[in-house]
Amino acid sequence: MADMEGNKDAKQFAQDVAFANTGDFHVRGASNLDWGMKDRLSRIFKPETGKTVMLAFDHGYFMGPTSGLERLDLLIPRLAKHADCLMATRGAIRTSVPANYNKSIALRISSGSSILQNDLSHESMVVDIEDAIRMNASAIAIQTFIGAEGQKETIEALNKAVNLGSRYSIPTLGVVAVGKEMERTNRFFLLATRMLAEFGAQIVKTYYCDDFEKVVAACPVPLVVAGGKKVPEKDALTLAYNSIQCGAAGVDMGRNIFQSEYPEGMLQAVNKVVHDGFTDKEAYAFYLDLANANLQVNK
Ligand code: 5RP
């Protein structure tokens, strides 16, 4: 391990220079991967834009039925067609998502904590790789708590997922979790996203932060940005817009979609930002039009 004494801070991110090793493939860092990996990544990241809109509804695995997710069987049929990828647990998908949607799945395979505890950082890989294969998962999603109490076990779990995913050409989506005591700084996200990519995750999910373009530049795999707690629709679209402007390969939003006044409209507006080059203002105007039209219909 390198001597930490006198270590110089990273500065030269060349964030204006595009990722170099693209080959002929549209997903960052994936040009050397096997055909099966590329096929699965292409189900998540649209080849036309290289980006993705993921819908996260995996909250129940540690929170129970949170607001908006009381009835997955009623919600998901309204939203699925506007998402490129569904991120959820096997229990949610098997029970509540019709199997004929033909959507890519990012299967949540880690767990170990619940909101009844103070420290949520102790998670391990709890789903067999064979079950991910049975579910035709396009990715396996596993959470890592860098800098928190559960760091070692979650790093081991992530590496186990990468080992098993590589055996069957299933990409691993490494999720950067922020421990209770951690600050959401650029320094933290630079560290955590790069660590997950170096462990072999083919996709990393993270939060947005200042100087996000440096986080993108330093991470050799695509970054998808989490939505986080519910904010006004306008602000959530600005988060999506800023993320894409800084080089994110998409978003993976939950509460800002399903807790929106009009979830279908919000997900379509996010699509406009991610895939169609809309600004946040344009996307918000688009959202308002859809929400008003919906109000008229349901008057
Ligand atoms: C956290 C996750 C969740 O899927 C994600 O954070 C939930 O989405 P949101 O924060 O947008 O509600 O990966 O481990």
Side-chain angles (χ1 to χ4, degrees):
M1 188 172 277
D3 181 3
M4 292 303 296
E5 201 113 314
N7 194 18
K8 286 188 181 174
D9 279 350
K11 285 197 190 91
Q12 309 292 340
F13 293 97
Q15 59 266 31
D16 299 330
V17 181
F19 185 75
N21 188 36
T22 51
D24 59 356
F25 197 59
H26 62 286
V27 179
R28 176 189 283 235
S31 64
N32 297 331
L33 297 179
D34 171 69
W35 193 94
M37 280 269 182
K38 287 181 167 169
D39 177 64
R40 289 189 169 92
L41 287 167
S42 296
R43 286 170 52 77
I44 299 172
F45 296 95
K46 269 190 180 173
E48 300 82 14
T49 63
K51 298 197 172 62
T52 188
V53 173
M54 300 176 69
L55 174 66
F57 53 100
D58 56 341
H59 307 56
Y61 91 90
F62 73 105
M63 293 175 96
T66 193
S67 169
L69 293 186
E70 295 89 345
R71 289 288 302 267
L72 295 173
D73 57 319
L74 302 181
L75 178 77
I76 302 310
R78 287 167 51 195
L79 295 181
K81 64 171 174 288
H82 304 301
D84 300 313
C85 181
L86 304 177
M87 179 185 186
T89 60
R90 57 182 169 183
I93 294 167
R94 279 209 172 97
T95 57
S96 309
V97 180
N100 61 0
Y101 281 3
N102 200 19
K103 281 283 158 191
S104 67
I105 298 292
L107 183 67
R108 160 71 67 171
I109 59 160
S110 62
S111 114
S113 316
S114 79
I115 48 169
L116 299 180
Q117 298 160 275
N118 265 334
D119 181 5
L120 297 174
S121 73
H122 298 282
E123 290 208 350
S124 54
M125 177 171 168
V126 292
V127 174
D128 287 344
I129 194 70
E130 288 78 11
D131 210 27
I133 296 168
R134 274 192 289 274
M135 296 200 65
N136 199 25
S138 295
I140 46 180
I142 187 150
Q143 187 143 287
T144 308
F145 286 83
I146 304 300
E149 259 198 45
Q151 170 170 295
K152 185 166 184 292
E153 66 203 75
T154 59
I155 286 178
E156 283 170 359
L158 175 81
N159 278 281
K160 184 176 164 192
V162 171
N163 289 334
L164 290 166
S166 302
R167 191 180 293 169
Y168 300 106
S169 275
I170 303 181
T172 297
L173 165 60
V175 179
V176 174
V178 185
K180 222 170 73 174
E181 312 297 332
M182 308 292 302
E183 286 182 18
R184 296 176 179 226
T185 59
N186 163 274
R187 200 180 173 87
F188 171 72
F189 290 117
L190 273 168
L191 170 77
T193 54
R194 178 63 172 266
M195 284 178 73
L196 269 54
E198 299 234 5
F199 293 144
Q202 287 84 8
I203 312 167
V204 171
K205 173 172 174 173
T206 184
Y207 291 91
Y208 182 77
C209 62
D210 290 342
D211 284 338
F212 193 68
E213 62 278 8
K214 290 184 182 157
V215 181
V216 171
C219 185
V221 301
L223 290 180
V224 289
V225 172
K229 69 171 193 273
K230 174 75 175 77
V231 293
E233 280 78 1
K234 194 168 183 295
D235 297 347
L237 290 166
T238 299
L239 169 73
Y241 176 70
N242 289 343
S243 302
I244 296 299
Q245 288 303 301
C246 287
V251 297
D252 185 7
M253 283 186 165
R255 287 164 290 179
N256 278 293
I257 305 296
F258 58 73
Q259 292 177 355
S260 163
E261 290 292 321
Y262 184 44
E264 291 94 325
M266 190 57 188
L267 194 48
Q268 288 177 75
V270 169
N271 260 281
K272 291 290 179 195
V273 171
V274 172
H275 290 305
D276 296 335
F278 275 35
T279 64
D280 47 347
K281 286 189 183 62
E282 290 166 340
Y284 184 57
F286 176 79
Y287 164 77
L288 288 178
D289 284 348
L290 291 180
N292 287 332
N294 180 57
L295 273 182
Q296 295 307 321
V297 170
N298 292 314
K299 230 181 10 198

Tab-separated table of all heavy atoms in Angstrom, residues 110-159:
chain	number	residue	atom	x	y	z
A	110	SER	N	-28.483	-6.765	-2.101
A	110	SER	CA	-27.887	-6.613	-0.762
A	110	SER	C	-28.957	-6.253	0.252
A	110	SER	O	-29.965	-5.642	-0.078
A	110	SER	CB	-26.811	-5.515	-0.779
A	110	SER	OG	-27.357	-4.256	-1.123
A	111	SER	N	-28.725	-6.652	1.483
A	111	SER	CA	-29.566	-6.205	2.595
A	111	SER	C	-28.904	-6.599	3.917
A	111	SER	O	-27.811	-7.166	3.919
A	111	SER	CB	-30.985	-6.759	2.428
A	111	SER	OG	-31.312	-7.646	3.410
A	112	GLY	N	-29.553	-6.294	5.008
A	112	GLY	CA	-28.970	-6.624	6.315
A	112	GLY	C	-29.392	-5.659	7.406
A	112	GLY	O	-29.111	-5.893	8.587
A	113	SER	N	-30.052	-4.558	7.033
A	113	SER	CA	-30.426	-3.554	8.034
A	113	SER	C	-31.882	-3.156	7.857
A	113	SER	O	-32.499	-3.455	6.838
A	113	SER	CB	-29.598	-2.279	7.869
A	113	SER	OG	-28.254	-2.563	7.646
A	114	SER	N	-32.403	-2.428	8.857
A	114	SER	CA	-33.750	-1.862	8.716
A	114	SER	C	-33.788	-0.525	9.451
A	114	SER	O	-32.897	-0.223	10.250
A	114	SER	CB	-34.798	-2.797	9.313
A	114	SER	OG	-34.805	-2.659	10.719
A	115	ILE	N	-34.851	0.244	9.216
A	115	ILE	CA	-34.937	1.562	9.857
A	115	ILE	C	-35.131	1.462	11.368
A	115	ILE	O	-35.146	2.476	12.052
A	115	ILE	CB	-36.052	2.441	9.241
A	115	ILE	CG1	-37.353	1.648	9.124
A	115	ILE	CG2	-35.620	3.008	7.909
A	115	ILE	CD1	-38.546	2.514	8.790
A	116	LEU	N	-35.260	0.260	11.890
A	116	LEU	CA	-35.356	0.112	13.346
A	116	LEU	C	-33.988	0.238	14.011
A	116	LEU	O	-33.884	0.301	15.223
A	116	LEU	CB	-35.995	-1.228	13.705
A	116	LEU	CG	-37.421	-1.426	13.182
A	116	LEU	CD1	-37.961	-2.781	13.580
A	116	LEU	CD2	-38.341	-0.313	13.708
A	117	GLN	N	-32.927	0.279	13.165
A	117	GLN	CA	-31.577	0.408	13.721
A	117	GLN	C	-31.032	1.808	13.458
A	117	GLN	O	-31.482	2.484	12.541
A	117	GLN	CB	-30.641	-0.587	13.026
A	117	GLN	CG	-31.002	-2.022	13.200
A	117	GLN	CD	-30.323	-2.833	12.099
A	117	GLN	OE1	-30.841	-2.961	11.006
A	117	GLN	NE2	-29.157	-3.347	12.411
A	118	ASN	N	-30.022	2.196	14.231
A	118	ASN	CA	-29.359	3.474	14.009
A	118	ASN	C	-28.383	3.413	12.853
A	118	ASN	O	-28.260	4.335	12.072
A	118	ASN	CB	-28.577	3.879	15.252
A	118	ASN	CG	-29.398	4.787	16.111
A	118	ASN	OD1	-30.291	5.467	15.595
A	118	ASN	ND2	-29.127	4.786	17.397
A	119	ASP	N	-27.669	2.298	12.787
A	119	ASP	CA	-26.616	2.159	11.793
A	119	ASP	C	-27.084	1.196	10.699
A	119	ASP	O	-27.313	0.021	10.964
A	119	ASP	CB	-25.361	1.616	12.491
A	119	ASP	CG	-24.215	1.458	11.517
A	119	ASP	OD1	-24.373	1.865	10.343
A	119	ASP	OD2	-23.171	0.916	11.934
A	120	LEU	N	-27.232	1.745	9.481
A	120	LEU	CA	-27.748	0.923	8.372
A	120	LEU	C	-26.626	0.337	7.527
A	120	LEU	O	-26.866	-0.198	6.447
A	120	LEU	CB	-28.658	1.782	7.477
A	120	LEU	CG	-29.930	2.345	8.125
A	120	LEU	CD1	-30.645	3.285	7.167
A	120	LEU	CD2	-30.859	1.222	8.544
A	121	SER	N	-25.388	0.456	7.997
A	121	SER	CA	-24.261	0.182	7.096
A	121	SER	C	-23.848	-1.280	7.025
A	121	SER	O	-22.898	-1.606	6.322
A	121	SER	CB	-23.056	1.037	7.498
A	121	SER	OG	-22.476	0.557	8.689
A	122	HIS	N	-24.584	-2.154	7.723
A	122	HIS	CA	-24.162	-3.567	7.708
A	122	HIS	C	-25.005	-4.361	6.716
A	122	HIS	O	-26.089	-4.825	7.045
A	122	HIS	CB	-24.259	-4.151	9.109
A	122	HIS	CG	-23.354	-3.456	10.071
A	122	HIS	ND1	-21.996	-3.704	10.132
A	122	HIS	CD2	-23.592	-2.463	10.957
A	122	HIS	CE1	-21.443	-2.917	11.034
A	122	HIS	NE2	-22.388	-2.144	11.550
A	123	GLU	N	-24.507	-4.475	5.499
A	123	GLU	CA	-25.243	-5.205	4.462
A	123	GLU	C	-24.342	-6.248	3.825
A	123	GLU	O	-23.129	-6.065	3.729
A	123	GLU	CB	-25.718	-4.249	3.360
A	123	GLU	CG	-26.819	-3.324	3.817
A	123	GLU	CD	-27.734	-2.873	2.678
A	123	GLU	OE1	-27.411	-3.126	1.508
A	123	GLU	OE2	-28.775	-2.272	2.991
A	124	SER	N	-24.952	-7.334	3.372
A	124	SER	CA	-24.185	-8.330	2.634
A	124	SER	C	-24.984	-8.763	1.409
A	124	SER	O	-26.137	-8.351	1.237
A	124	SER	CB	-23.867	-9.521	3.530
A	124	SER	OG	-25.072	-10.004	4.079
A	125	MET	N	-24.363	-9.584	0.576
A	125	MET	CA	-25.058	-10.079	-0.619
A	125	MET	C	-25.980	-11.203	-0.178
A	125	MET	O	-25.515	-12.224	0.321
A	125	MET	CB	-24.026	-10.567	-1.645
A	125	MET	CG	-24.659	-11.157	-2.884
A	125	MET	SD	-23.450	-11.482	-4.180
A	125	MET	CE	-24.467	-12.471	-5.295
A	126	VAL	N	-27.278	-11.032	-0.380
A	126	VAL	CA	-28.240	-12.006	0.157
A	126	VAL	C	-28.990	-12.773	-0.936
A	126	VAL	O	-29.753	-13.677	-0.630
A	126	VAL	CB	-29.273	-11.305	1.079
A	126	VAL	CG1	-28.615	-10.790	2.341
A	126	VAL	CG2	-29.990	-10.173	0.348
A	127	VAL	N	-28.788	-12.392	-2.168
A	127	VAL	CA	-29.491	-13.075	-3.274
A	127	VAL	C	-28.484	-13.943	-4.025
A	127	VAL	O	-27.392	-13.474	-4.366
A	127	VAL	CB	-30.128	-12.033	-4.231
A	127	VAL	CG1	-30.731	-12.709	-5.455
A	127	VAL	CG2	-31.192	-11.212	-3.494
A	128	ASP	N	-28.839	-15.198	-4.281
A	128	ASP	CA	-27.947	-16.080	-5.056
A	128	ASP	C	-27.824	-15.565	-6.483
A	128	ASP	O	-28.810	-15.100	-7.058
A	128	ASP	CB	-28.548	-17.492	-5.153
A	128	ASP	CG	-28.463	-18.231	-3.843
A	128	ASP	OD1	-27.698	-17.801	-2.959
A	128	ASP	OD2	-29.173	-19.246	-3.718
A	129	ILE	N	-26.647	-15.734	-7.054
A	129	ILE	CA	-26.473	-15.305	-8.444
A	129	ILE	C	-27.421	-16.095	-9.354
A	129	ILE	O	-27.928	-15.578	-10.356
A	129	ILE	CB	-24.986	-15.423	-8.901
A	129	ILE	CG1	-24.759	-14.651	-10.210
A	129	ILE	CG2	-24.557	-16.871	-9.046
A	129	ILE	CD1	-24.828	-13.183	-10.108
A	130	GLU	N	-27.704	-17.357	-8.989
A	130	GLU	CA	-28.621	-18.164	-9.826
A	130	GLU	C	-30.013	-17.531	-9.869
A	130	GLU	O	-30.712	-17.628	-10.874
A	130	GLU	CB	-28.739	-19.608	-9.291
A	130	GLU	CG	-27.509	-20.469	-9.502
A	130	GLU	CD	-26.399	-20.165	-8.507
A	130	GLU	OE1	-26.634	-19.428	-7.507
A	130	GLU	OE2	-25.269	-20.653	-8.734
A	131	ASP	N	-30.413	-16.897	-8.772
A	131	ASP	CA	-31.737	-16.272	-8.792
A	131	ASP	C	-31.729	-15.016	-9.666
A	131	ASP	O	-32.717	-14.711	-10.336
A	131	ASP	CB	-32.230	-15.958	-7.372
A	131	ASP	CG	-33.747	-16.028	-7.305
A	131	ASP	OD1	-34.347	-16.774	-8.120
A	131	ASP	OD2	-34.346	-15.327	-6.475
A	132	ALA	N	-30.605	-14.306	-9.661
A	132	ALA	CA	-30.483	-13.142	-10.561
A	132	ALA	C	-30.559	-13.616	-12.014
A	132	ALA	O	-31.178	-12.960	-12.864
A	132	ALA	CB	-29.170	-12.409	-10.295
A	133	ILE	N	-29.955	-14.755	-12.295
A	133	ILE	CA	-30.005	-15.303	-13.666
A	133	ILE	C	-31.440	-15.707	-14.007
A	133	ILE	O	-31.957	-15.385	-15.082
A	133	ILE	CB	-29.057	-16.525	-13.800
A	133	ILE	CG1	-27.602	-16.086	-13.601
A	133	ILE	CG2	-29.246	-17.221	-15.145
A	133	ILE	CD1	-26.616	-17.224	-13.414
A	134	ARG	N	-32.101	-16.381	-13.049
A	134	ARG	CA	-33.506	-16.782	-13.290
A	134	ARG	C	-34.380	-15.566	-13.593
A	134	ARG	O	-35.302	-15.636	-14.378
A	134	ARG	CB	-34.069	-17.501	-12.057
A	134	ARG	CG	-33.787	-18.992	-12.019
A	134	ARG	CD	-34.621	-19.667	-10.936
A	134	ARG	NE	-34.165	-19.324	-9.602
A	134	ARG	CZ	-33.185	-19.949	-8.941
A	134	ARG	NH1	-32.562	-20.969	-9.502
A	134	ARG	NH2	-32.834	-19.562	-7.738
A	135	MET	N	-34.068	-14.450	-12.941
A	135	MET	CA	-34.885	-13.253	-13.139
A	135	MET	C	-34.450	-12.450	-14.362
A	135	MET	O	-34.974	-11.376	-14.629
A	135	MET	CB	-34.834	-12.364	-11.898
A	135	MET	CG	-35.457	-13.065	-10.705
A	135	MET	SD	-35.937	-11.938	-9.427
A	135	MET	CE	-37.220	-10.992	-10.226
A	136	ASN	N	-33.460	-12.985	-15.074
A	136	ASN	CA	-32.946	-12.289	-16.261
A	136	ASN	C	-32.504	-10.859	-15.916
A	136	ASN	O	-32.761	-9.916	-16.682
A	136	ASN	CB	-34.004	-12.274	-17.377
A	136	ASN	CG	-33.381	-11.987	-18.728
A	136	ASN	OD1	-32.194	-12.244	-18.931
A	136	ASN	ND2	-34.159	-11.428	-19.643
A	137	ALA	N	-31.832	-10.717	-14.765
A	137	ALA	CA	-31.378	-9.384	-14.340
A	137	ALA	C	-30.365	-8.825	-15.342
A	137	ALA	O	-29.469	-9.542	-15.788
A	137	ALA	CB	-30.750	-9.467	-12.955
A	138	SER	N	-30.520	-7.554	-15.664
A	138	SER	CA	-29.530	-6.889	-16.523
A	138	SER	C	-28.378	-6.351	-15.693
A	138	SER	O	-27.326	-6.003	-16.224
A	138	SER	CB	-30.172	-5.739	-17.293
A	138	SER	OG	-31.131	-6.246	-18.175
A	139	ALA	N	-28.597	-6.226	-14.379
A	139	ALA	CA	-27.519	-5.825	-13.458
A	139	ALA	C	-27.898	-6.286	-12.054
A	139	ALA	O	-29.087	-6.465	-11.749
A	139	ALA	CB	-27.324	-4.317	-13.478
A	140	ILE	N	-26.879	-6.494	-11.224
A	140	ILE	CA	-27.123	-6.763	-9.808
A	140	ILE	C	-26.644	-5.536	-9.027
A	140	ILE	O	-25.567	-5.014	-9.286
A	140	ILE	CB	-26.438	-8.065	-9.334
A	140	ILE	CG1	-24.987	-8.160	-9.830
A	140	ILE	CG2	-27.245	-9.287	-9.778
A	140	ILE	CD1	-24.255	-9.426	-9.386
A	141	ALA	N	-27.489	-5.070	-8.113
A	141	ALA	CA	-27.202	-3.808	-7.412
A	141	ALA	C	-26.855	-4.082	-5.956
A	141	ALA	O	-27.595	-4.773	-5.249
A	141	ALA	CB	-28.414	-2.888	-7.492
A	142	ILE	N	-25.737	-3.533	-5.536
A	142	ILE	CA	-25.252	-3.817	-4.182
A	142	ILE	C	-24.642	-2.552	-3.580
A	142	ILE	O	-23.951	-1.804	-4.258
A	142	ILE	CB	-24.262	-5.012	-4.218
A	142	ILE	CG1	-23.869	-5.451	-2.829
A	142	ILE	CG2	-23.049	-4.727	-5.078
A	142	ILE	CD1	-23.555	-6.932	-2.745
A	143	GLN	N	-24.930	-2.340	-2.325
A	143	GLN	CA	-24.622	-1.079	-1.658
A	143	GLN	C	-23.306	-1.162	-0.889
A	143	GLN	O	-23.059	-2.158	-0.221
A	143	GLN	CB	-25.755	-0.851	-0.685
A	143	GLN	CG	-25.786	0.437	0.020
A	143	GLN	CD	-27.237	0.860	0.156
A	143	GLN	OE1	-27.854	1.254	-0.831
A	143	GLN	NE2	-27.792	0.747	1.330
A	144	THR	N	-22.514	-0.114	-0.945
A	144	THR	CA	-21.229	-0.110	-0.240
A	144	THR	C	-21.130	1.147	0.623
A	144	THR	O	-21.351	2.256	0.136
A	144	THR	CB	-20.070	-0.147	-1.263
A	144	THR	OG1	-20.302	-1.224	-2.149
A	144	THR	CG2	-18.742	-0.366	-0.579
A	145	PHE	N	-20.801	0.963	1.875
A	145	PHE	CA	-20.701	2.085	2.827
A	145	PHE	C	-19.235	2.407	3.081
A	145	PHE	O	-18.633	1.896	4.028
A	145	PHE	CB	-21.386	1.708	4.147
A	145	PHE	CG	-22.887	1.698	4.081
A	145	PHE	CD1	-23.563	0.589	3.596
A	145	PHE	CD2	-23.631	2.796	4.502
A	145	PHE	CE1	-24.951	0.572	3.538
A	145	PHE	CE2	-25.022	2.784	4.436
A	145	PHE	CZ	-25.684	1.669	3.959
A	146	ILE	N	-18.655	3.234	2.231
A	146	ILE	CA	-17.253	3.617	2.403
A	146	ILE	C	-17.153	4.580	3.593
A	146	ILE	O	-17.924	5.534	3.705
A	146	ILE	CB	-16.702	4.294	1.124
A	146	ILE	CG1	-16.891	3.375	-0.096
A	146	ILE	CG2	-15.239	4.705	1.308
A	146	ILE	CD1	-16.215	2.036	-0.021
A	147	GLY	N	-16.206	4.305	4.475
A	147	GLY	CA	-15.977	5.195	5.610
A	147	GLY	C	-16.914	4.966	6.779
A	147	GLY	O	-16.797	5.644	7.798
A	148	ALA	N	-17.852	4.026	6.651
A	148	ALA	CA	-18.796	3.764	7.743
A	148	ALA	C	-18.406	2.466	8.453
A	148	ALA	O	-17.506	1.751	8.018
A	148	ALA	CB	-20.212	3.664	7.191
A	149	GLU	N	-19.120	2.176	9.513
A	149	GLU	CA	-18.808	0.957	10.287
A	149	GLU	C	-18.812	-0.313	9.443
A	149	GLU	O	-17.995	-1.191	9.608
A	149	GLU	CB	-19.844	0.804	11.400
A	149	GLU	CG	-19.336	1.257	12.731
A	149	GLU	CD	-20.195	0.706	13.846
A	149	GLU	OE1	-20.532	-0.494	13.805
A	149	GLU	OE2	-20.539	1.501	14.727
A	150	GLY	N	-19.773	-0.373	8.544
A	150	GLY	CA	-19.910	-1.596	7.738
A	150	GLY	C	-19.034	-1.622	6.496
A	150	GLY	O	-19.257	-2.450	5.608
A	151	GLN	N	-18.028	-0.732	6.417
A	151	GLN	CA	-17.215	-0.649	5.196
A	151	GLN	C	-16.674	-2.007	4.748
A	151	GLN	O	-16.859	-2.407	3.607
A	151	GLN	CB	-16.066	0.338	5.407
A	151	GLN	CG	-15.031	0.295	4.281
A	151	GLN	CD	-14.016	1.413	4.351
A	151	GLN	OE1	-14.369	2.568	4.202
A	151	GLN	NE2	-12.759	1.065	4.565
A	152	LYS	N	-15.994	-2.724	5.660
A	152	LYS	CA	-15.293	-3.942	5.237
A	152	LYS	C	-16.282	-4.978	4.688
A	152	LYS	O	-16.078	-5.543	3.620
A	152	LYS	CB	-14.486	-4.521	6.399
A	152	LYS	CG	-13.638	-5.705	6.006
A	152	LYS	CD	-12.621	-6.028	7.085
A	152	LYS	CE	-11.689	-7.151	6.669
A	152	LYS	NZ	-12.357	-8.434	6.554
A	153	GLU	N	-17.375	-5.198	5.429
A	153	GLU	CA	-18.301	-6.238	4.957
A	153	GLU	C	-18.973	-5.845	3.649
A	153	GLU	O	-19.232	-6.700	2.801
A	153	GLU	CB	-19.326	-6.603	6.040
A	153	GLU	CG	-20.295	-5.511	6.403
A	153	GLU	CD	-20.892	-5.697	7.806
A	153	GLU	OE1	-20.179	-5.439	8.798
A	153	GLU	OE2	-22.067	-6.097	7.897
A	154	THR	N	-19.249	-4.539	3.472
A	154	THR	CA	-19.918	-4.166	2.219
A	154	THR	C	-18.942	-4.172	1.042
A	154	THR	O	-19.334	-4.471	-0.082
A	154	THR	CB	-20.666	-2.818	2.335
A	154	THR	OG1	-19.753	-1.778	2.694
A	154	THR	CG2	-21.798	-2.893	3.339
A	155	ILE	N	-17.657	-3.880	1.313
A	155	ILE	CA	-16.660	-3.991	0.231
A	155	ILE	C	-16.512	-5.459	-0.160
A	155	ILE	O	-16.445	-5.808	-1.344
A	155	ILE	CB	-15.297	-3.394	0.656
A	155	ILE	CG1	-15.377	-1.874	0.670
A	155	ILE	CG2	-14.184	-3.859	-0.274
A	155	ILE	CD1	-14.104	-1.170	1.123
A	156	GLU	N	-16.491	-6.335	0.826
A	156	GLU	CA	-16.379	-7.763	0.506
A	156	GLU	C	-17.592	-8.238	-0.294
A	156	GLU	O	-17.479	-9.004	-1.245
A	156	GLU	CB	-16.230	-8.582	1.794
A	156	GLU	CG	-14.826	-8.490	2.350
A	156	GLU	CD	-14.662	-9.085	3.746
A	156	GLU	OE1	-15.658	-9.574	4.325
A	156	GLU	OE2	-13.529	-9.040	4.247
A	157	ALA	N	-18.773	-7.747	0.110
A	157	ALA	CA	-19.994	-8.157	-0.594
A	157	ALA	C	-19.980	-7.652	-2.037
A	157	ALA	O	-20.363	-8.372	-2.965
A	157	ALA	CB	-21.225	-7.629	0.144
A	158	LEU	N	-19.520	-6.417	-2.229
A	158	LEU	CA	-19.460	-5.872	-3.591
A	158	LEU	C	-18.510	-6.712	-4.446
A	158	LEU	O	-18.818	-7.069	-5.590
A	158	LEU	CB	-18.999	-4.414	-3.576
A	158	LEU	CG	-18.799	-3.844	-4.990
A	158	LEU	CD1	-20.119	-3.423	-5.604
A	158	LEU	CD2	-17.840	-2.680	-5.008
A	159	ASN	N	-17.353	-7.047	-3.881
A	159	ASN	CA	-16.390	-7.838	-4.653
A	159	ASN	C	-16.913	-9.239	-4.956
A	159	ASN	O	-16.675	-9.776	-6.037
A	159	ASN	CB	-15.046	-7.892	-3.918
A	159	ASN	CG	-14.238	-6.623	-4.196
A	159	ASN	OD1	-13.627	-6.495	-5.250
A	159	ASN	ND2	-14.270	-5.677	-3.281
